[in-house]
Amino acid sequence: MPCVPSTRWKHLKPKVKATDEIWTTLKVLTWTVGYLTEKGVENARREAEWLLCEATGLDRMGLYLNFDKPLQDDELAAYRSMVARRGKREPLQHILGNQEFDGREFVVTKDVLIPRYDTETLLEEAVRQAPQARTVLDIGTGSGCIAISLAHRLPQAQVTAVDLSPDALAIARHNAERNNAVVEFLLGSFFQPVNQRRFDLIVSNPPYITHADLATLQPEVRDFEPRLALDGGPDGLDAYRVLAAEAPGHLEPNGWLLMEVGSGQDKDVARLLADAGFDAIVTVPDSAGIMRVVGGQHHGV
Ligand code: GLN
């Protein structure tokens, strides 16, 4: 007779956890990769590792060295709740509470757009075109990532940042403090809070998603990131129309306006700038080759 375990005796099994039910680091990791993949999360392995690092306080190397060790109950509890949130497609950055941008950590919440790597293209171009800028204005600062990075990159400059959302401004202020940047934060819409002031450099990463595209965004963005930071109006260009029309009245002679744009918007935005009297119009690709930044210089009004 073949030696197969009989289910008849199952109820006689001692009530202790079988070895294979101990949640070692590796077992937890493997399970999570399957779970998150099933929920549609890309890069499930890397994300599972990040969440495990957060729950255990280990770094990635530490995780690998502890693959065979069981997780403590409190670690497992913390981890489970994070994985459940991620399974509902809440952004990893909201769960971890921060995102790196230009080598610095920024606190992020549901009130601010999560800083994107692509936006470093805007930063680089600003520094390239206006290295001597003494006054800088960031319209729609969100987490403050652009303004704070520029305050570091252009140490001679006085940086002012505006946002329509008081909740976003609170996060941005906190980010400036924790990154030792001096930035003047003002609440309001576009140029309204700066009155008649003029700047050498104006930057903005405004909302630029078209209404049609809003519904097609991945759930992390569509359901969790602030609509105010995404919605660019019916054709996605609403904010650029205001920026192009009003920036000249707030630029010093030969000042620069540089803006991030969405994929395929560069020509339309360049035309808006040309129509508003800008010249030296530049269009700059991001690292993926997508035209990501459009800007120009204005001789003054
Ligand atoms: N300026 C911020 C950023 O680049 C916010 C942009 C936005 O809310 N559209 O992250």
Side-chain angles (χ1 to χ4, degrees):
M1 205 177 148
C3 180
V4 290
S6 157
T7 51
R8 232 182 322 157
W9 308 111
K10 234 185 171 173
H11 64 287
L12 292 179
K13 267 193 182 168
K15 285 209 160 73
V16 293
K17 272 190 189 165
T19 322
D20 65 352
E21 280 174 21
I22 291 177
W23 287 95
T24 61
T25 306
L26 180 60
K27 196 174 163 197
V28 165
L29 190 60
T30 310
W31 182 87
T32 313
V33 173
Y35 178 76
L36 292 182
T37 305
E38 190 185 305
K39 296 289 178 185
V41 173
E42 287 171 30
N43 304 318
R45 167 87 190 198
R46 208 176 59 204
E47 295 214 3
E49 286 181 359
W50 269 328
L51 291 173
L52 256 179
C53 288
E54 180 74 6
T56 59
L58 296 169
D59 60 12
R60 197 151 164 256
M61 178 59 78
L63 276 192
Y64 280 74
L65 294 174
N66 285 280
F67 264 172
D68 298 334
K69 293 217 183 104
L71 265 76
Q72 322 243 314
D73 286 350
D74 55 337
E75 292 171 342
L76 203 51
Y79 181 72
R80 278 211 177 103
S81 94
M82 291 192 285
V83 171
R85 288 170 69 186
R86 191 66 191 97
K88 293 186 183 127
R89 304 295 295 274
E90 186 170 348
L92 182 72
Q93 294 90 337
H94 287 181
I95 300 168
L96 300 180
N98 56 62
Q99 169 65 42
E100 189 249 284
F101 181 82
D102 195 37
R104 292 181 184 83
E105 289 246 309
F106 289 82
V107 167
V108 293
T109 67
K110 60 171 182 35
D111 295 312
V112 298
L113 192 80
I114 299 167
R116 307 299 209 263
Y117 174 63
D118 295 339
T119 302
E120 291 186 18
T121 310
L122 174 58
L123 194 63
E124 299 293 346
E125 189 61 14
V127 172
R128 214 169 70 85
Q129 298 291 2
Q132 314 293 343
R134 298 168 64 87
T135 49
V136 177
L137 174 65
D138 176 22
I139 297 285
T141 197
S143 66
C145 63
I146 300 170
I148 292 164
S149 304
L150 280 175
H152 280 285
R153 299 277 205 113
L154 302 172
Q156 80 284 359
Q158 255 190 304
V159 180
T160 302
V162 169
D163 205 283
L164 190 54
S165 153
D167 295 326
L169 270 194
I171 302 293
R173 278 205 178 91
H174 176 79
N175 279 325
E177 228 166 85
R178 71 180 257 160
N179 285 301
N180 301 311
V182 179
V183 175
E184 175 193 25
F185 290 103
L186 301 172
L187 179 68
S189 177
F190 289 95
F191 298 94
Q192 171 260 319
V194 296
N195 302 315
Q196 306 303 314
R197 287 165 63 188
R198 290 179 184 263
F199 301 85
D200 295 322
L201 167 67
I202 298 174
V203 291
S204 184
N205 175 21
Y208 54 64
I209 312 291
T210 68
H211 279 174
D213 285 346
L214 276 175
T216 69
L217 297 173
Q218 52 185 11
E220 282 86 348
V221 183
R222 190 191 60 213
D223 301 339
F224 292 93
E225 293 209 77
R227 202 39 71 106
L228 195 60
L230 301 171
D231 186 348
D235 66 354
L237 301 174
D238 279 3
Y240 300 108
R241 288 191 191 92
V242 179
L243 287 164
E246 295 187 10
H250 294 279
L251 281 172
E252 297 285 1
N254 299 322
W256 278 92
L257 167 64
L258 291 162
M259 300 168 290
E260 177 166 321
V261 299
S263 177
Q265 293 176 326
D266 54 296
K267 290 200 176 62
D268 287 336
V269 175
R271 178 164 307 275
L272 286 172
L273 289 185
D275 290 350
F278 283 85
D279 54 26
I281 291 172
V282 293
T283 302
V284 189
D286 63 19
S287 58
I290 293 169
M291 290 307 169
R292 189 54 73 189
V293 171
V294 177
Q297 221 176 358
H298 206 278
H299 295 298
V301 286

